[in-house]
Amino acid sequence: MMKNICSSIVLLWASVCSFAQADSTQVENTLAQASTVVITKAQADSAYINNDFANAVNLYEHILANQGESADIYYNLGNSYYKMDNIAKAIVNYEKALVLNPGNGDIRFNLELAQSKTVDKVTPMSEVFLVTWIKNLTNTMSEKGWAKMGIITFILMLLMLALYFFSKKIALKKIGFISAVCLLLVCIIANVFASSQKNEAQSHGTAIIMAPSVTVKSTPNEGGTDLFILHEGHKVNIKDNTMREWKEIQLEDGNAGWVPASVIEII
C-alpha cells in the first residue's frame, strides 16, 4: 500500500515538473520570437512620412539599439525630433550622423538649421586660415572614405613604381617616378585624415546641453560661483570628463566651467 502511494506521489511530481518545464519553454520561445522581430528602416520611414513622428522616433531608436549605428538612421531620427520641436535631441542626432558621415551636405544643412533655433550665440575664437582649411578638407569624407582613398592611392603608387623600374623609355620612367611620389603623399594624407576622423569619432569630446537652461559653475559643486548660463541645444567641448556627477566644459570662445553631468548628452 505504502509503495503504491509513493509511486503515485513520484508520478504526480514528475507530471508537475514536466508541465512547468513545458510552460517555461513556451515562455522562453515567446520571448525569443519577440526579440527576433526585425524593425526595418522602411517601417520607420513610413511612420515619418505619415507624420507619426513619436512612433518614428521609437522605431529609429530601436533600430540603432539592435542593429548598430548608421548615419542615415541618426539623420532621420534627428529629423523626427526636429518635427516634434525637440531641438536639443535633433541636434544630438544630427551631430552623431555628421560624425559618421562628415561630408554629407544635407546633414550639415539640417544641423545648422536646428542650431539657428537655439538661444545662445557664441563667437568662436579666431583660427588660423590653414587650420580651418585642413579641418574642412578632413570633413569632406568619413573615416572609411579616406581609408579607401589611402588603399587606392597605395595600389596606384605601386603600379607607378613598376612603370618606373621596368619601363625602358626615359619619359615613362619620369612619369612613373613623379606619379609615385605624388600618390605617396596623397596616400599619407588620406591615412592621416582617416586616423583623425577615427579619433574624433571615438573621443566623445563634445556634448549638447539638454536642459532648458543651466548655470555654469566655477567649481564642480552647487556652491561654486555662477559664471554664465547656457540653454538647450548648445554644443560644448568636454574639458574634464574624469568626474561622474560633474563635467568641465569649454565654449567656442574659450570660456569654461562646470555643469552637472545630467544636463548634457555626450556625442
Side-chain angles (χ1 to χ4, degrees), residues 134-168:
I134 291 175
K135 286 182 179 179
N136 292 336
L137 180 60
T138 305
N139 290 331
T140 55
M141 286 195 294
S142 64
E143 172 202 344
K144 291 182 180 179
W146 285 116
K148 288 179 181 178
M149 177 176 285
I151 293 172
I152 293 172
T153 52
F154 181 75
I155 294 173
L156 292 175
M157 182 194 71
L158 294 179
L159 293 176
M160 291 300 100
L161 285 176
L163 179 65
Y164 170 73
F165 283 113
F166 298 109
S167 178
K168 296 181 180 179

Side-chain angles (χ1 to χ4, degrees), residues 154-216:
F154 181 75
I155 294 173
L156 292 175
M157 182 194 71
L158 294 179
L159 293 176
M160 291 300 100
L161 285 176
L163 179 65
Y164 170 73
F165 283 113
F166 298 109
S167 178
K168 296 181 180 179
K169 295 183 178 180
I170 300 298
L172 291 178
K173 281 182 174 290
K174 288 181 178 180
I175 293 173
F177 179 78
I178 295 173
S179 299
V181 172
C182 293
L183 288 167
L184 176 61
L185 292 175
V186 174
C187 179
I188 293 172
I189 292 172
N191 280 278
V192 170
F193 287 176
S195 178
S196 176
Q197 291 284 20
K198 182 179 180 180
N199 291 336
E200 183 177 352
Q202 294 178 344
S203 66
H204 302 292
T206 57
I208 302 298
I209 301 293
M210 304 304 294
S213 64
V214 58
T215 301
V216 181

Side-chain angles (χ1 to χ4, degrees), residues 6 23 33 36 51 67-68 71 92 98 137 139 160 198 201 221 227 236 238 242 247 256:
C6 291
D23 187 57
Q33 290 175 0
T36 55
N51 296 328
Q67 300 177 32
V92 166
L98 204 59
L137 180 60
N139 290 331
M160 291 300 100
K198 182 179 180 180
N221 56 69
L227 298 179
V236 297
I238 299 178
T242 57
K247 306 295 180 183

Side-chain angles (χ1 to χ4, degrees), residues 15-238:
S15 299
V16 171
C17 291
S18 177
F19 177 77
Q21 184 176 4
D23 187 57
S24 175
T25 302
Q26 184 177 2
V27 172
E28 289 177 358
N29 290 337
T30 302
L31 292 175
Q33 290 175 0
S35 64
T36 55
V37 173
V38 178
I39 295 176
T40 64
K41 180 176 178 294
Q43 291 174 292
D45 291 344
S46 177
Y48 178 85
I49 292 171
N50 292 322
N51 296 328
D52 188 1
F53 302 121
N55 188 34
V57 164
N58 291 331
L59 294 175
Y60 286 131
E61 289 185 339
H62 183 277
I63 293 172
L64 289 169
N66 293 277
Q67 300 177 32
E69 291 185 314
S70 164
D72 289 339
I73 301 299
Y74 277 129
Y75 174 65
N76 291 344
L77 181 56
N79 288 338
S80 300
Y81 275 120
Y82 184 85
K83 291 292 186 179
M84 296 170 65
D85 288 328
N86 192 334
I87 301 302
K89 274 289 188 180
I91 290 175
V92 166
N93 286 284
Y94 287 146
E95 289 281 2
K96 289 181 178 180
L98 204 59
V99 169
L100 297 176
N101 189 5
N104 188 294
D106 291 335
I107 298 174
R108 195 171 295 277
F109 175 82
N110 282 20
L111 173 59
E112 292 174 355
L113 184 64
Q115 288 173 333
S116 69
K117 294 182 177 294
T118 59
V119 176
D120 303 315
K121 307 300 178 185
V122 180
T123 303
M125 292 186 296
S126 59
E127 195 173 53
V128 178
F129 169 76
L130 181 61
V131 174
T132 303
W133 181 79
I134 291 175
K135 286 182 179 179
N136 292 336
L137 180 60
T138 305
N139 290 331
T140 55
M141 286 195 294
S142 64
E143 172 202 344
K144 291 182 180 179
W146 285 116
K148 288 179 181 178
M149 177 176 285
I151 293 172
I152 293 172
T153 52
F154 181 75
I155 294 173
L156 292 175
M157 182 194 71
L158 294 179
L159 293 176
M160 291 300 100
L161 285 176
L163 179 65
Y164 170 73
F165 283 113
F166 298 109
S167 178
K168 296 181 180 179
K169 295 183 178 180
I170 300 298
L172 291 178
K173 281 182 174 290
K174 288 181 178 180
I175 293 173
F177 179 78
I178 295 173
S179 299
V181 172
C182 293
L183 288 167
L184 176 61
L185 292 175
V186 174
C187 179
I188 293 172
I189 292 172
N191 280 278
V192 170
F193 287 176
S195 178
S196 176
Q197 291 284 20
K198 182 179 180 180
N199 291 336
E200 183 177 352
Q202 294 178 344
S203 66
H204 302 292
T206 57
I208 302 298
I209 301 293
M210 304 304 294
S213 64
V214 58
T215 301
V216 181
K217 301 287 186 177
S218 60
T219 56
N221 56 69
E222 292 294 344
T225 303
D226 296 348
L227 298 179
F228 48 89
I229 297 176
L230 292 176
H231 299 84
E232 64 178 342
H234 193 82
K235 183 179 180 180
V236 297
N237 295 317
I238 299 178

